[in-house]
Amino acid sequence: MATVTQEYGLWINGESTEGTEVRELTEPATGEPLARVSMAGEQDVDRAVEAARAALDGAWGKTPPNERSRLLHALADAIASNRKELAELESRNVGKAISSVKAELVQAVENFRFYGSAIASIAGRSNPIGGSLLFYSLKEPVGVCGQIVPWNYPLMMATWKLAPALAAGCTVVLKPDPATPLTALRLAQLAGDVGIPPGVINIVPGDGPTTGAYLVRHDGIDKVAFTGSTKTGAEIMRLAAAPLKRITLELGGKSPNLVFADANLADAIPSSVWSIYYSAGQSCEARSRVLVESSVYDDFVQTFADAASRLKVGDPLDAETQVGSLISATHRDKVHALVEQGVEEGAEVVIGGEPADGAGAFYPPTVLAKVENRMTVAQEEIFGPVVTVIPFEDERDAIRIANDTKYGLYATVWTGDPARGHRLAARIKAGSVGINMPYTAFPGIPFGGYKQSGFGRELGLETLELYLETKSVLVSTGAKPYNPFGL
């Protein structure tokens, strides 16, 4: 088991420092004490922004691209070398099955490797524009970035945000969720250990309405990147308007998983089970609406429920566990309240549907059948291990139901007809569509949403542009100076 330091400070300007208050954290799976962590107040955010600005104007701003690349690869190596400690710390802090956390750590490493290599792609362009004028452009970091990450993927989301920002030459003040800051703080320590200068990465845990809001409004922040709920994203847009800041928002989802009768159900069913339960359903792109062609609906529901009922729920640190705890008892109660509302609206509980007995914030894999897409459970993000199974009649009906949501983050299509898969990928309103495979996020492939699932993209080369300014330079190459007024 990882050794947990009992006291955690903020991380500002390359060192651990006290914050405004200290908060007790408990393990979601046991309810036992885990750590005492400093929380940041406004003056702490001020210190962090000041440190980030000094690093941008100083050591980091003078670091050449090849050295930034080396440092990002060195940080990837450090994450890999400390993966056992990080996995156990994340699993205990979030309550997530350690098997899932280990997979997330693989991507965390690859995120830094991808953007460490992508630094070589940052370049302006040049060309003559006629006569004696030459144009060229420069790419410069947008500045000091405020980044806010959620509690469901604390470490992996931190790497999603930090890697492209650092590759672009920006500095960062990152606010993890106050319930799950431990791996972000450890990541910042590792960054310092490999030689990333003080002030480049600053970590300020704190509550969203206070610390987060102050960070977004701060005059010293040039860009805000946020992952979290659509409601909070809308508030961030409002707060970032004065003074005006660039924004990237990766928000909520109610992602559909479309299963046609001609699909290979031997692949589609276990993959569909994984697509909703792999992080106990606490994932923005979880395929929480399974749309099934009516001719195979009943058989699908029974086989899916049988498979889900065999998932091992329990101790997050047990390598055999497949579904861990929810983040808190309060969140578990919200999940259960939505399930009860679904039943009131006519949904049928096939398996699950009741909180687990005993310690910890566990909720069993739950399958709701006889669901209509108008129901609350089919429209609202439950963010738990709850799937709604909805029948459709034909391809047109499937597209209609899939798009009948305010969200548009991800979709998966299962079909034996390749042409149909591509037709649906073109017509489903989602930032990403998977065809006959359940996986969602890979370094190098842009990830983000349509509609109220946000805007901007994570993980791709396009993400670098969100952390860069383009400066145009016009040069006279003529032998005589310009004198347009004839003076």
Side-chain angles (χ1 to χ4, degrees):
M1 182 175 295
T3 300
V4 178
T5 303
Q6 191 66 21
E7 301 279 348
Y8 287 79
L10 314 176
W11 189 265
I12 297 176
N13 203 29
E15 62 182 9
S16 183
T17 180
E18 292 183 0
T20 301
E21 64 168 301
V22 174
R23 190 168 300 181
E24 303 275 354
L25 300 186
T26 59
E27 293 191 43
T30 65
E32 295 297 318
L34 176 61
R36 288 167 51 84
V37 183
S38 285
M39 296 290 138
E42 293 184 358
Q43 65 270 36
D44 303 311
V45 173
D46 289 338
R47 290 193 292 134
V49 173
E50 180 181 352
R53 182 65 60 185
L56 183 70
D57 294 339
W60 192 240
K62 297 173 184 176
T63 302
N66 63 332
E67 178 64 4
R68 292 205 310 271
S69 177
R70 185 193 69 79
L71 288 169
L72 264 62
H73 282 290
L75 184 51
D77 292 339
I79 295 170
S81 297
N82 291 273
R83 60 187 178 275
K84 185 175 187 294
E85 173 201 354
L86 289 167
E88 291 179 358
L89 191 59
E90 185 93 328
S91 183
R92 295 180 69 188
N93 196 183
V94 184
K96 184 180 296 189
I98 199 165
S99 57
S100 295
V101 174
K102 288 179 177 178
E104 293 160 21
L105 271 165
V106 171
Q107 190 186 111
V109 171
E110 291 305 313
N111 289 339
F112 281 109
R113 296 213 189 284
F114 174 76
Y115 284 107
S117 300
I119 289 172
S121 72
I122 300 173
R125 61 188 180 92
S126 64
N127 62 279
I129 59 175
S132 59
L133 287 178
L134 171 68
F135 154 77
Y136 66 90
S137 65
L138 302 173
K139 294 291 185 178
E140 299 178 350
V142 74
V144 176
C145 301
Q147 300 183 324
I148 302 174
V149 296
W151 51 258
N152 56 333
Y153 294 97
L155 180 59
M156 192 174 76
M157 288 290 104
T159 68
W160 279 32
K161 296 287 189 289
L162 287 169
L166 301 186
C170 298
T171 57
V172 173
V173 179
L174 183 140
K175 190 198 83 66
D177 190 275
T180 56
L182 301 186
T183 50
L185 290 164
R186 182 68 178 117
L187 179 63
Q189 292 175 346
L190 293 175
D193 291 345
V194 302
I196 293 177
V200 175
I201 300 173
N202 304 276
I203 310 295
V204 288
D207 294 320
T210 53
T211 308
Y214 186 72
L215 177 63
V216 172
R217 296 194 311 267
H218 201 287
D219 288 352
I221 294 294
D222 301 302
K223 173 186 168 59
V224 175
F226 170 76
T227 295
S229 73
T230 297
K231 180 180 179 182
T232 303
E235 177 66 7
I236 285 174
M237 285 188 69
R238 186 184 70 81
L239 293 173
L244 187 66
K245 297 176 176 65
R246 289 149 186 76
I247 311 175
T248 301
L249 299 176
E250 196 263 288
L251 307 177
K254 194 68 179 176
S255 298
N257 187 45
L258 288 70
V259 182
F260 286 85
D262 64 358
N264 180 348
L265 297 182
D267 287 339
I269 289 174
S271 294
S272 298
V273 169
W274 180 88
S275 295
I276 176 61
Y277 299 123
Y278 69 94
S279 189
Q282 299 173 123
S283 191
C284 55
E285 87 288 356
R287 268 51 49 83
S288 55
R289 289 187 302 150
V290 179
L291 281 52
V292 182
E293 193 163 1
S294 57
S295 61
V296 295
Y297 180 86
D298 289 340
D299 288 343
F300 179 94
V301 169
Q302 188 58 56
T303 306
F304 181 99
D306 288 345
S309 68
R310 294 194 297 273
L311 295 175
K312 182 175 180 179
V313 181
D315 178 5
L317 295 179
D318 184 341
E320 301 299 318
T321 293
Q322 294 164 303
V323 180
S325 167
L326 300 190
I327 188 62
S328 68
T330 300
H331 183 63
R332 178 196 60 199
D333 293 344
K334 291 179 180 178
V335 169
H336 185 56
L338 282 166
V339 171
E340 290 183 317
Q341 185 174 353
V343 172
E344 290 173 4
E345 293 179 359
E348 176 186 287
V349 176
V350 181
I351 63 165
E354 290 291 339
D357 295 330
F362 292 93
Y363 200 86
T366 296
V367 176
L368 300 180
K370 297 183 179 179
V371 175
E372 298 178 16
N373 202 55
R374 63 173 177 78
M375 293 179 181
T376 303
V377 288
Q379 291 293 324
E380 296 301 320
E381 194 173 25
I382 298 174
F383 225 64
V386 180
V387 72
T388 59
V389 192
I390 304 169
F392 66 82
E393 295 304 319
D394 53 28
E395 187 175 311
R396 182 176 179 180
D397 193 35
I399 294 168
R400 177 189 64 80
I401 297 171
N403 288 336
D404 182 19
T405 172
K406 62 186 178 184
Y407 299 112
L409 187 58
Y410 204 91
T412 303
V413 178
W414 294 93
T415 178
D417 181 350
R420 172 186 281 152
H422 294 295
R423 283 197 304 272
L424 267 69
R427 297 184 64 187
I428 292 173
K429 301 299 182 184
S432 301
V433 179
I435 302 174
N436 292 334
M437 73 102 207
Y439 306 118
T440 57
F442 300 87
I445 299 177
F447 182 89
Y450 284 23
K451 300 189 281 187
Q452 293 191 41
S453 288
F455 50 81
R457 292 296 181 266
E458 307 274 8
L459 290 180
L461 282 175
E462 295 89 336
T463 310
L464 281 174
E465 288 295 327
L466 302 175
Y467 288 95
L468 292 166
E469 296 280 19
T470 300
K471 177 182 287 182
S472 296
V473 181
L474 291 168
V475 183
S476 171
T477 61
K480 295 181 180 180
Y482 277 91
N483 188 4
F485 286 111
L487 300 176

